[in-house]
Amino acid sequence: MQLPGGGQGSVYIFGRARPKADASSTDSDQSDRGIMRMWSLSPKVLDAKGIVACWRESLLAQAVLAGQTKGYTHHPQLDRFRSCKDPLVAVAGYLGPLADEADRRGYHFDRGKILRTADEGLRIDVNDQQLAYEWRLLLKKLENRDSARYELMRGLQEEAHPLFNVVPGPIASWEKVLPDV
């Protein structure tokens, strides 16, 4: 799948601080403020803003699971990682493909921030309806912030992050479903 933003681009290096909301953010972007979003979708389909936010949120999730922060400790989206034998290995399996996609695009995500080595054989189930919902949510976000990418993406099928194994089932109980998605 050839997507825009796949070439050499800016170099991104991230610390721990969260950015302030951009005045140009859309309502759709603002609806996720305060919500941890670790996409079940493949990093290949995320736009630059989406992959950067996902990396940051995933590092936050890793910190939560490692007991390094007091915030988000009861976030229900983390249950899918907590259900694994070693949640930090599971998060490493999530972060690795994000960093791989960043490398492909010419970005720099500091792999030194990944606390464990991924288990290449580990897969976590994700329900097909959850994946479909996330696809619709991503398309809605892209429609508002990157119309060219939206036009390219809307004709494609959703694809899961390599960590996830798609199984039949409903939208996850932890998902905050937006009425217009």
Side-chain angles (χ1 to χ4, degrees):
M1 171 182 338
Q2 184 66 18
L3 302 174
Q8 295 295 317
S10 301
V11 174
Y12 296 97
I13 302 172
F14 301 102
R16 295 179 62 191
R18 281 189 67 98
K20 292 184 179 180
D22 183 325
S24 66
S25 296
T26 65
D27 289 338
S28 178
D29 294 332
Q30 295 300 314
S31 66
D32 268 357
R33 285 183 57 200
I35 298 173
M36 184 179 291
R37 170 63 57 197
M38 292 177 72
W39 295 95
S40 303
L41 297 166
S42 171
K44 292 189 291 187
V45 302
L46 300 177
D47 62 329
K49 187 173 183 177
I51 198 169
V52 167
C54 190
W55 175 255
R56 295 180 70 125
E57 294 297 317
S58 301
L59 289 175
L60 172 61
Q62 177 181 246
V64 170
L65 294 170
Q68 297 173 341
T69 184
K70 293 181 180 166
Y72 288 97
T73 57
H74 299 292
H75 196 287
Q77 192 173 153
L78 295 178
D79 290 348
R80 59 185 174 174
F81 296 95
R82 285 189 179 112
S83 69
C84 296
K85 185 170 90 173
D86 187 333
L88 292 175
V89 168
V91 170
Y94 186 86
L95 286 163
L98 286 172
D100 292 344
E101 180 61 21
D103 290 347
R104 189 185 75 72
R105 295 182 190 193
Y107 307 160
H108 173 71
F109 287 0
D110 184 358
R111 290 175 190 270
K113 293 184 181 288
I114 302 174
L115 299 178
R116 296 279 170 81
T117 301
D119 173 353
E120 298 301 323
L122 176 65
R123 295 291 175 268
I124 299 173
D125 288 345
V126 63
N127 293 341
D128 58 353
Q129 293 301 309
Q130 175 64 34
L131 197 64
Y133 174 78
E134 289 184 29
W135 182 248
R136 292 190 308 272
L137 179 62
L138 177 63
L139 288 177
K140 183 170 183 58
K141 288 175 171 291
L142 292 176
E143 185 177 23
N144 290 323
R145 70 181 181 219
D146 189 342
S147 60
R149 189 172 184 93
Y150 167 76
E151 288 300 323
L152 176 70
M153 300 295 290
R154 72 184 187 137
L156 301 176
Q157 286 293 114
E158 67 265 18
E159 181 179 336
H161 183 289
L163 179 64
F164 297 115
N165 176 50
V166 183
V167 297
I171 294 174
S173 61
W174 48 258
E175 183 65 69
K176 294 188 179 195
V177 178
L178 300 176
D180 59 340
V181 174

Short mmCIF file of all heavy atoms in Angstrom, two decimals, residues 1 3 39-47 51 54 94 97-98 101 105 131 134-135 138 149 153 157-164:
data_model
loop_
_atom_site.label_atom_id
_atom_site.label_comp_id
_atom_site.label_asym_id
_atom_site.label_seq_id
_atom_site.Cartn_x
_atom_site.Cartn_y
_atom_site.Cartn_z
N MET A 1 0.85 -1.16 0.00
CA MET A 1 0.00 0.00 0.00
C MET A 1 0.90 1.23 0.00
O MET A 1 1.70 1.41 0.90
CB MET A 1 -0.88 -0.08 1.25
CG MET A 1 -1.67 1.12 1.55
SD MET A 1 -2.67 1.07 3.07
CE MET A 1 -2.92 -0.61 3.44
N LEU A 3 1.27 5.09 0.48
CA LEU A 3 0.53 6.16 1.12
C LEU A 3 1.32 7.45 1.10
O LEU A 3 2.54 7.43 1.08
CB LEU A 3 0.22 5.80 2.58
CG LEU A 3 -0.56 4.51 2.77
CD1 LEU A 3 -0.66 4.19 4.24
CD2 LEU A 3 -1.94 4.65 2.17
N TRP A 39 -3.93 2.78 18.49
CA TRP A 39 -4.68 2.23 17.36
C TRP A 39 -4.46 0.73 17.21
O TRP A 39 -3.33 0.25 17.32
CB TRP A 39 -4.26 2.94 16.08
CG TRP A 39 -4.59 4.39 16.02
CD1 TRP A 39 -3.75 5.42 16.34
CD2 TRP A 39 -5.81 4.98 15.61
NE1 TRP A 39 -4.38 6.62 16.16
CE2 TRP A 39 -5.65 6.38 15.71
CE3 TRP A 39 -7.02 4.46 15.17
CZ2 TRP A 39 -6.67 7.26 15.38
CZ3 TRP A 39 -8.04 5.36 14.84
CH2 TRP A 39 -7.87 6.74 14.95
N SER A 40 -5.52 0.02 16.90
CA SER A 40 -5.42 -1.38 16.51
C SER A 40 -5.06 -1.50 15.04
O SER A 40 -4.74 -2.57 14.56
CB SER A 40 -6.75 -2.10 16.77
OG SER A 40 -7.14 -1.98 18.11
N LEU A 41 -5.11 -0.38 14.34
CA LEU A 41 -4.79 -0.31 12.92
C LEU A 41 -3.29 -0.36 12.69
O LEU A 41 -2.50 0.03 13.55
CB LEU A 41 -5.35 0.98 12.32
CG LEU A 41 -6.86 1.13 12.35
CD1 LEU A 41 -7.25 2.58 12.04
CD2 LEU A 41 -7.51 0.17 11.37
N SER A 42 -2.91 -0.78 11.51
CA SER A 42 -1.50 -0.79 11.12
C SER A 42 -0.93 0.62 11.14
O SER A 42 -1.59 1.57 10.71
CB SER A 42 -1.37 -1.37 9.71
OG SER A 42 -0.06 -1.20 9.24
N PRO A 43 0.31 0.78 11.61
CA PRO A 43 0.94 2.10 11.57
C PRO A 43 1.04 2.65 10.15
O PRO A 43 1.09 3.87 9.96
CB PRO A 43 2.33 1.86 12.16
CG PRO A 43 2.19 0.64 12.98
CD PRO A 43 1.14 -0.21 12.30
N LYS A 44 1.02 1.79 9.13
CA LYS A 44 1.11 2.24 7.74
C LYS A 44 -0.01 3.17 7.35
O LYS A 44 0.15 4.01 6.47
CB LYS A 44 1.10 1.04 6.78
CG LYS A 44 2.32 0.18 6.85
CD LYS A 44 2.34 -0.86 5.73
CE LYS A 44 1.27 -1.89 5.92
NZ LYS A 44 1.36 -3.00 4.94
N VAL A 45 -1.18 3.03 7.97
CA VAL A 45 -2.33 3.83 7.57
C VAL A 45 -2.43 5.15 8.32
O VAL A 45 -3.25 6.00 7.96
CB VAL A 45 -3.66 3.04 7.70
CG1 VAL A 45 -3.60 1.77 6.87
CG2 VAL A 45 -4.01 2.75 9.15
N LEU A 46 -1.63 5.34 9.34
CA LEU A 46 -1.70 6.57 10.12
C LEU A 46 -0.99 7.71 9.40
O LEU A 46 0.07 7.52 8.81
CB LEU A 46 -1.07 6.36 11.50
CG LEU A 46 -1.71 5.28 12.36
CD1 LEU A 46 -0.95 5.12 13.67
CD2 LEU A 46 -3.18 5.58 12.62
N ASP A 47 -1.57 8.89 9.47
CA ASP A 47 -0.90 10.06 8.94
C ASP A 47 0.18 10.49 9.92
O ASP A 47 0.35 9.88 10.99
CB ASP A 47 -1.91 11.18 8.68
CG ASP A 47 -2.63 11.67 9.93
OD1 ASP A 47 -2.83 10.87 10.86
OD2 ASP A 47 -3.01 12.85 9.96
N ILE A 51 0.60 8.97 13.70
CA ILE A 51 1.68 8.08 14.14
C ILE A 51 2.49 8.71 15.27
O ILE A 51 2.89 8.02 16.20
CB ILE A 51 2.58 7.63 12.96
CG1 ILE A 51 3.39 6.40 13.37
CG2 ILE A 51 3.45 8.75 12.45
CD1 ILE A 51 4.10 5.71 12.22
N CYS A 54 0.33 8.40 18.38
CA CYS A 54 0.28 7.00 18.80
C CYS A 54 1.57 6.59 19.50
O CYS A 54 1.54 5.89 20.51
CB CYS A 54 0.00 6.11 17.59
SG CYS A 54 -0.36 4.40 18.02
N TYR A 94 4.11 -3.69 20.31
CA TYR A 94 3.30 -2.64 19.71
C TYR A 94 4.17 -1.48 19.22
O TYR A 94 3.98 -0.96 18.14
CB TYR A 94 2.27 -2.14 20.74
CG TYR A 94 1.29 -1.16 20.15
CD1 TYR A 94 0.14 -1.62 19.51
CD2 TYR A 94 1.52 0.20 20.21
CE1 TYR A 94 -0.74 -0.73 18.95
CE2 TYR A 94 0.64 1.09 19.65
CZ TYR A 94 -0.49 0.63 19.02
OH TYR A 94 -1.37 1.51 18.44
N PRO A 97 6.69 -1.91 15.58
CA PRO A 97 6.18 -1.57 14.25
C PRO A 97 5.92 -0.07 14.05
O PRO A 97 6.03 0.42 12.93
CB PRO A 97 4.88 -2.37 14.15
CG PRO A 97 5.14 -3.56 15.03
CD PRO A 97 5.91 -3.00 16.20
N LEU A 98 5.60 0.64 15.13
CA LEU A 98 5.47 2.10 15.00
C LEU A 98 6.82 2.72 14.63
O LEU A 98 6.91 3.57 13.74
CB LEU A 98 4.97 2.72 16.31
CG LEU A 98 3.52 2.53 16.68
CD1 LEU A 98 3.25 3.05 18.08
CD2 LEU A 98 2.61 3.21 15.68
N GLU A 101 7.74 1.91 11.00
CA GLU A 101 7.05 2.79 10.04
C GLU A 101 7.65 4.19 10.07
O GLU A 101 7.80 4.83 9.03
CB GLU A 101 5.54 2.83 10.33
CG GLU A 101 4.75 3.71 9.39
CD GLU A 101 4.81 3.31 7.92
OE1 GLU A 101 5.13 2.15 7.60
OE2 GLU A 101 4.52 4.18 7.06
N ARG A 105 9.46 6.28 6.93
CA ARG A 105 9.08 7.64 6.51
C ARG A 105 10.21 8.66 6.69
O ARG A 105 10.04 9.82 6.34
CB ARG A 105 7.86 8.10 7.31
CG ARG A 105 6.63 7.28 7.04
CD ARG A 105 5.47 7.82 7.82
NE ARG A 105 4.33 6.91 7.76
CZ ARG A 105 3.11 7.26 8.15
NH1 ARG A 105 2.87 8.47 8.61
NH2 ARG A 105 2.14 6.37 8.07
N LEU A 131 -11.83 -3.01 15.01
CA LEU A 131 -10.96 -2.56 13.93
C LEU A 131 -11.74 -1.71 12.92
O LEU A 131 -11.27 -0.66 12.49
CB LEU A 131 -10.32 -3.77 13.25
CG LEU A 131 -9.11 -3.50 12.38
CD1 LEU A 131 -7.94 -2.97 13.20
CD2 LEU A 131 -8.69 -4.76 11.65
N GLU A 134 -12.38 1.73 14.43
CA GLU A 134 -11.18 2.56 14.40
C GLU A 134 -10.89 3.07 12.99
O GLU A 134 -10.43 4.19 12.81
CB GLU A 134 -9.98 1.79 14.95
CG GLU A 134 -10.06 1.56 16.45
CD GLU A 134 -8.83 0.89 17.02
OE1 GLU A 134 -7.73 1.06 16.46
OE2 GLU A 134 -8.97 0.18 18.03
N TRP A 135 -11.16 2.24 12.00
CA TRP A 135 -10.96 2.66 10.60
C TRP A 135 -11.88 3.85 10.28
O TRP A 135 -11.44 4.84 9.71
CB TRP A 135 -11.23 1.48 9.67
CG TRP A 135 -11.01 1.78 8.23
CD1 TRP A 135 -11.97 1.84 7.26
CD2 TRP A 135 -9.78 2.05 7.57
NE1 TRP A 135 -11.40 2.13 6.05
CE2 TRP A 135 -10.05 2.27 6.22
CE3 TRP A 135 -8.46 2.13 8.01
CZ2 TRP A 135 -9.06 2.56 5.27
CZ3 TRP A 135 -7.47 2.42 7.07
CH2 TRP A 135 -7.78 2.63 5.73
N LEU A 138 -10.53 6.91 12.08
CA LEU A 138 -9.36 7.46 11.40
C LEU A 138 -9.78 8.21 10.14
O LEU A 138 -9.31 9.33 9.89
CB LEU A 138 -8.36 6.36 11.05
CG LEU A 138 -7.12 6.82 10.27
CD1 LEU A 138 -6.30 7.81 11.09
CD2 LEU A 138 -6.28 5.63 9.85
N ARG A 149 -5.04 12.65 1.84
CA ARG A 149 -4.85 11.31 2.41
C ARG A 149 -6.20 10.61 2.61
O ARG A 149 -6.33 9.42 2.37
CB ARG A 149 -4.08 11.40 3.73
CG ARG A 149 -3.67 10.03 4.24
CD ARG A 149 -2.76 10.16 5.45
NE ARG A 149 -2.30 8.88 5.89
CZ ARG A 149 -1.17 8.29 5.50
NH1 ARG A 149 -0.39 8.91 4.65
NH2 ARG A 149 -0.83 7.12 5.95
N MET A 153 -7.27 6.97 1.24
CA MET A 153 -7.54 5.93 2.23
C MET A 153 -8.97 5.40 2.17
O MET A 153 -9.20 4.22 2.44
CB MET A 153 -7.28 6.46 3.64
CG MET A 153 -5.87 6.92 3.88
SD MET A 153 -4.69 5.61 3.78
CE MET A 153 -5.12 4.73 5.25
N GLN A 157 -9.18 -1.05 2.52
CA GLN A 157 -9.69 -1.84 3.65
C GLN A 157 -8.81 -1.60 4.86
O GLN A 157 -7.59 -1.41 4.72
CB GLN A 157 -9.67 -3.32 3.30
CG GLN A 157 -10.73 -3.76 2.33
CD GLN A 157 -12.12 -3.64 2.94
OE1 GLN A 157 -12.90 -2.84 2.49
NE2 GLN A 157 -12.40 -4.42 3.96
N GLU A 158 -9.42 -1.69 6.03
CA GLU A 158 -8.63 -1.57 7.26
C GLU A 158 -7.64 -2.73 7.36
O GLU A 158 -7.90 -3.82 6.85
CB GLU A 158 -9.52 -1.49 8.50
CG GLU A 158 -10.29 -2.74 8.81
CD GLU A 158 -11.71 -2.74 8.25
OE1 GLU A 158 -12.03 -1.95 7.35
OE2 GLU A 158 -12.49 -3.58 8.72
N GLU A 159 -6.54 -2.45 8.00
CA GLU A 159 -5.49 -3.45 8.21
C GLU A 159 -5.04 -3.35 9.66
O GLU A 159 -4.83 -2.25 10.17
CB GLU A 159 -4.32 -3.15 7.27
CG GLU A 159 -3.18 -4.12 7.35
CD GLU A 159 -2.06 -3.76 6.37
OE1 GLU A 159 -2.32 -3.09 5.36
OE2 GLU A 159 -0.92 -4.17 6.64
N ALA A 160 -4.88 -4.46 10.32
CA ALA A 160 -4.53 -4.48 11.74
C ALA A 160 -3.04 -4.26 11.95
O ALA A 160 -2.21 -4.63 11.11
CB ALA A 160 -4.95 -5.80 12.38
N HIS A 161 -2.71 -3.68 13.08
CA HIS A 161 -1.33 -3.58 13.56
C HIS A 161 -0.79 -5.01 13.63
O HIS A 161 -1.52 -5.94 13.99
CB HIS A 161 -1.35 -2.93 14.94
CG HIS A 161 -0.02 -2.69 15.54
ND1 HIS A 161 0.77 -3.72 16.01
CD2 HIS A 161 0.67 -1.54 15.76
CE1 HIS A 161 1.89 -3.21 16.50
NE2 HIS A 161 1.85 -1.89 16.36
N PRO A 162 0.49 -5.22 13.31
CA PRO A 162 1.04 -6.59 13.30
C PRO A 162 0.92 -7.35 14.63
O PRO A 162 0.94 -8.58 14.63
CB PRO A 162 2.51 -6.38 12.95
CG PRO A 162 2.57 -5.06 12.28
CD PRO A 162 1.45 -4.24 12.85
N LEU A 163 0.77 -6.64 15.75
CA LEU A 163 0.63 -7.31 17.04
C LEU A 163 -0.73 -8.00 17.18
O LEU A 163 -0.87 -8.95 17.95
CB LEU A 163 0.81 -6.30 18.18
CG LEU A 163 0.67 -6.82 19.61
CD1 LEU A 163 1.76 -7.84 19.93
CD2 LEU A 163 0.69 -5.68 20.61
N PHE A 164 -1.69 -7.53 16.42
CA PHE A 164 -3.07 -7.98 16.63
C PHE A 164 -3.52 -9.05 15.64
O PHE A 164 -3.20 -9.01 14.46
CB PHE A 164 -4.03 -6.79 16.58
CG PHE A 164 -3.78 -5.80 17.68
CD1 PHE A 164 -3.34 -4.52 17.40
CD2 PHE A 164 -3.95 -6.15 19.01
CE1 PHE A 164 -3.08 -3.61 18.40
CE2 PHE A 164 -3.70 -5.25 20.04
CZ PHE A 164 -3.27 -3.97 19.72
#
